[in-house]
Amino acid sequence: MHTIAKEYLLLFNTLTDAEETLHRLESRLMEAQRQAEELFLEHTDPDMQSAD
């Protein structure tokens, strides 16, 4: 049986962690975009302004 060198395990684990971090960041950015769009629409929708 072949063993995987420690440096390759380190690299694989680091890449896996980075990928997971990027997915979380993508979700946070998408949520921020959604919230920003909602805020924008609240300030540009005439019906919303008359309710204030």
Side-chain angles (χ1 to χ4, degrees), residues 15-29:
L15 288 171
T16 301
D17 291 345
E19 182 181 21
E20 291 171 359
T21 300
L22 287 172
H23 284 296
R24 287 193 302 271
L25 178 59
E26 179 184 30
S27 294
R28 289 179 62 194
L29 288 170

Side-chain angles (χ1 to χ4, degrees), residues 1-19:
M1 180 173 175
H2 295 292
T3 58
I4 300 175
K6 289 180 184 179
E7 57 270 16
Y8 289 112
L9 287 174
L10 172 67
L11 181 60
F12 176 80
N13 289 331
T14 302
L15 288 171
T16 301
D17 291 345
E19 182 181 21

Side-chain angles (χ1 to χ4, degrees), residues 31-48:
E31 179 61 19
Q33 179 184 10
R34 185 192 63 74
Q35 290 177 1
E37 288 172 351
E38 285 181 4
L39 290 171
F40 176 79
L41 291 175
E42 285 178 10
H43 292 290
T44 58
D45 188 348
D47 293 333
M48 295 294 285

